C-alpha cells in the first residue's frame, strides 16, 4: 500500500465490520449485501482519490476550506454550480462544514472533515441535491446535462445508503461507531424523507426514478412507525439514534445519551402529518406523538443563557420542551462530556450549557398544524382514553 493510500484509509475510519451493531445480531442476506456494497463504495472513493494524489506526486491530501453552512445557501451562478459539483464524491454524496463557493482543487479533500466524507449530517448531501434541483431551470444546456448526471448519481447514492428496513445512517459509506446507527439526530431522517418525497414528484427525474424515490420514502415512513419507543405499554416518540437492526434506542456522543428527543420527534411528526398521514400505522403514531408533546410542554417560560449559566425564566405565552427526556420517567435529562446524566441543566459545565440547545420549541409548530386536522384528532379518542388526561411538564 502506498503512503498516500494508507493515509487516506486511516482518515476514513474503522472498517464497517468493526461496528458493534453488525456483530451482535445475525445478518440476513439483504443486510450482508448492504454492508458489502458499503465496503465497495468506500474502496471506490479511496481508489479514485489515491489515484489523484499519486498523479500529483502528493503523499498527503490538501485541506479543504471550512464553512459552517457551506459558504452559501443556494446555487446562484455557473461558477457556484461548478464549485458544488466539484465536491461530489465518486460514490455520489457531499461532506459537511465545507466552503463550497470555490471549486475543489486537485489533491484536496472533498470535505473539511475527511472522516465524514460523504455524510447526511448537518443537512449535507440533501442540501446540495436541492440546490441542483432548484438551479436547473436557469442553467444552460451544457450545465443542465451536468446537473442531470450529478442528480442521477446522487439519487442512486441515497437509495444505496438507505438501510433495508428503511432507516438511514448518519454517514455513508459506513464508517463505524454511532455514525452507523439509524440517525434521527439533527433531522437526518426528516431531511432525507422530505427530499425523497419531493423527488418522487419532480419532472427532473424519470418515471422509474420517481417510483424508486416514492418506494424509498414509504420504507422510511414504515421504519419510523416501527421505531417509535414504547414505554409501559404505550407508544411515545423517538430517540436520536436507533439500532439499525433491532431499532432499539442507542447512544451517540457522551453528551447525547439514550433519551427521547422532542425536537427531532416534532419535525418527524410534522413530516408524517403533511406527507404520509394515510399510510399504515401513521395515524396511531401521530395520535400518540401529539399527546406526548402536549404532556411534556413547558408553558410560559423561556430558556435564558448568560455568561455564568442558564435558567428558565417566566415569559407569558412561550412554549418549549427540553431537548432530551429520560426513558425511565420521561423527565428532562442533560448530559455533559463526562457521559453522566443530570436532572438540571445548571449541573452541566458552563461550556456545555452554552454550547448546546438544551431547550427548544419545535414542538409548537407541529401542535399548531395538528390542531388544524380535527378529522384526524377525532379518531384518536381510544388513544386519549388509554392515556388519560395530558399533564404538562413542570
Amino acid at each position: 500500500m502506498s503512503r498516500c493510500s494508507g493515509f487516506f484509509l486511516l482518515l476514513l475510519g474503522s472498517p464497517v465490520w468493526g461496528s458493534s451493531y453488525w456483530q451482535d445480531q445475525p445478518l440476513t442476506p439483504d443486510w450482508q449485501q448492504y454492508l458489502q456494497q458499503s465496503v465497495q463504495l468506500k474502496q471506490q472513493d479511496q481508489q479514485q482519490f489515491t489515484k489523484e494524489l499519486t498523479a500529483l506526486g502528493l503523499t498527503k491530501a490538501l485541506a479543504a476550506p471550512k464553512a459552517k453552512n457551506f459558504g452559501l445557501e443556494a446555487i446562484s451562478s455557473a461558477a457556484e454550480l461548478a464549485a458544488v459539483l466539484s465536491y461530489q464524491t465518486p460514490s455520489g454524496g457531499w461532506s459537511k462544514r465545507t466552503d463550497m463557493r470555490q471549486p475543489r482543487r486537485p489533491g484536496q479533500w472533498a470535505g473539511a472533515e475527511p472522516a465524514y466524507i460523504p455524510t447526511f449530517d448537518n443537512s449535507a448531501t440533501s442540501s446540495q441535491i436541492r440546490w441542483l434541483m432548484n438551479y436547473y431551470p436557469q442553467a444552460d444546456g451544457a450545465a443542465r446535462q451536468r446537473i442531470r448526471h450529478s442528480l442521477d448519481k446522487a439519487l442512486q447514492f441515497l437509495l444505496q445508503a438507505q438501510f433495508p428496513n428503511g432507516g438511514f445512517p448518519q454517514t455513508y459509506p459506513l464508517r463505524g461507531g454511532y455514525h452507523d446507527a439509524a440517525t434521527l439526530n439533527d433531522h437526518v431522517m426528516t431531511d432525507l424523507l422530505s427530499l425523497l418525497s419531493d423527488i418522487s414528484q419532480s419532472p427532473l427525474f424519470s418515471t422509474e426514478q420517481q417510483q424508486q424515490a416514492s418506494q424509498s420514502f414509504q420504507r422510511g415512513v414504515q421504519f419510523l412507525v416501527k421505531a417509535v419507543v414504547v414505554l409501559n405499554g404505550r407508544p411515545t416518540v423517538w430517540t436520536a439514534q436507533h439500532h439499525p437492526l433491532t431499532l432499539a434506542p442507542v447512544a451517540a456522543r457522551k453528551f447525547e445519551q439514550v433519551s427521547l428527543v422532542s425536537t427531532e420527534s416534532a419535525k418527524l411528526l410534522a413530516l408524517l402529518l403533511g406527507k404520509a398521514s394515510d399510510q399504515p400505522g401513521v395515524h396511531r403514531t401521530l395520535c400518540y406523538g401529539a399527546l406526548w408533546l402536549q404532556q411534556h410542554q413547558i408553558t410560559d417560560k423561556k430558556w435564558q443563557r448568560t455568561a455564568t449559566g442558564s435558567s428558565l425564566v417566566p415569559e407569558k405565552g412561550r412554549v418549549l420542551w427540553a431537548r432530551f427526556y429520560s426513558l425511565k420517567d420521561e423527565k428532562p435529562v442533560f448530559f455533559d462530556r463526562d457521559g453522566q446524566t443530570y436532572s438540571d441543566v445548571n449541573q452541566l459545565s458552563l461550556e456545555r450549557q452554552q454550547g448546546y440547545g438544551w431547550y427548544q420549541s419545535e414542538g409548537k409548530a407541529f401542535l399548531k398544524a395538528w390542531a388544524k386536522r380535527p378529522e384526524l384528532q377525532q379518531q384518536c379518542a381510544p388513544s386519549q382514553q388509554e392515556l388519560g388526561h395530558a399533564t404538562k411538564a413542570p
Side-chain angles (χ1 to χ4, degrees), residues 22 30-31 33-35 37-38 41 120 154-174 180-182 188-189 192-194 196-197 211-224 244:
W22 319 116
D30 56 344
W31 278 102
Q33 181 180 355
Y34 177 86
L35 295 181
Q37 172 188 269
S38 173
L41 285 177
F120 304 120
L155 175 58
Q156 182 63 24
F157 175 75
L158 294 185
L159 298 176
Q160 290 174 320
Q162 188 175 34
F163 292 145
N165 60 17
F168 280 92
Q170 185 195 60
T171 64
Y172 187 80
L174 302 175
D180 292 1
V188 166
M189 282 288 291
L192 294 179
L193 292 185
S194 179
L196 286 165
S197 177
Q211 292 174 345
Q212 289 175 326
S214 177
Q215 292 168 359
S216 179
F217 172 77
Q218 292 171 29
R219 286 197 301 273
V221 168
Q222 289 308 304
F223 169 88
L224 293 175

Side-chain angles (χ1 to χ4, degrees), residues 41-248:
L41 285 177
K42 178 181 283 190
Q43 291 173 344
Q44 172 186 308
D45 281 353
Q46 174 193 339
Q47 290 168 359
Q48 183 155 330
F49 192 74
T50 298
K51 182 178 179 180
E52 184 177 303
L53 292 183
T54 301
L56 294 168
L58 297 176
T59 58
K60 183 176 181 179
L62 304 175
K66 295 182 180 181
K68 185 176 181 180
N69 292 314
F70 312 111
L72 68 167
E73 296 181 353
I75 296 173
S76 58
S77 68
E80 290 177 347
L81 170 64
V84 170
L85 291 177
S86 73
Y87 279 97
Q88 188 175 23
T89 65
S91 53
W94 283 265
S95 187
K96 66 176 183 176
R97 293 177 180 163
T98 303
D99 192 336
M100 297 188 182
R101 290 173 293 182
Q102 299 296 323
R104 172 183 169 270
R105 292 182 292 158
Q108 184 182 78
W109 287 116
E113 298 182 359
Y116 287 75
I117 302 172
T119 184
F120 304 120
D121 195 27
N122 292 12
S123 298
T125 299
S126 58
S127 291
Q128 284 73 23
I129 293 173
R130 287 196 178 278
W131 295 350
L132 293 171
M133 292 171 64
N134 292 336
Y135 184 73
Y136 182 86
Q138 66 190 83
D140 61 26
R144 287 188 175 191
Q145 289 184 353
R146 296 176 66 196
I147 291 173
R148 283 187 177 277
H149 175 74
S150 177
L151 288 176
D152 288 346
K153 184 164 66 171
L155 175 58
Q156 182 63 24
F157 175 75
L158 294 185
L159 298 176
Q160 290 174 320
Q162 188 175 34
F163 292 145
N165 60 17
F168 280 92
Q170 185 195 60
T171 64
Y172 187 80
L174 302 175
R175 63 179 301 266
Y178 70 85
H179 308 280
D180 292 1
T183 302
L184 285 61
N185 192 44
D186 291 336
H187 312 301
V188 166
M189 282 288 291
T190 303
D191 287 345
L192 294 179
L193 292 185
S194 179
L195 175 60
L196 286 165
S197 177
D198 291 345
I199 289 174
S200 72
Q201 303 175 57
S202 172
L204 289 178
F205 297 87
S206 68
T207 300
E208 180 182 2
Q209 289 174 320
Q210 290 174 345
Q211 292 174 345
Q212 289 175 326
S214 177
Q215 292 168 359
S216 179
F217 172 77
Q218 292 171 29
R219 286 197 301 273
V221 168
Q222 289 308 304
F223 169 88
L224 293 175
V225 169
K226 295 173 183 176
V228 168
V229 178
V230 177
L231 298 176
N232 299 317
R234 63 177 174 82
T236 59
V237 285
W238 297 275
T239 57
Q241 289 83 210
H242 288 256
H243 193 292
L245 297 169
T246 68
L247 309 190

Side-chain angles (χ1 to χ4, degrees), residues 228-229 231 234-238 259-266 269 284-298 320-327 329-332 363 366-367 370 387 390-393:
V228 168
V229 178
L231 298 176
R234 63 177 174 82
T236 59
V237 285
W238 297 275
S259 52
L260 299 174
V261 290
S262 63
T263 296
E264 285 84 355
S265 293
L269 288 167
R284 186 168 184 265
T285 299
L286 290 170
C287 291
Y288 279 100
L291 285 169
W292 190 90
L293 288 172
Q294 291 166 353
Q295 284 183 309
H296 295 87
Q297 62 186 332
I298 302 168
L320 47 73
W321 288 258
R323 176 76 183 268
F324 300 118
Y325 288 81
S326 167
L327 268 65
D329 55 18
E330 299 181 54
K331 292 183 178 180
F366 167 71
L367 290 179
W370 178 245
L387 281 176
T391 56
K392 296 180 181 180

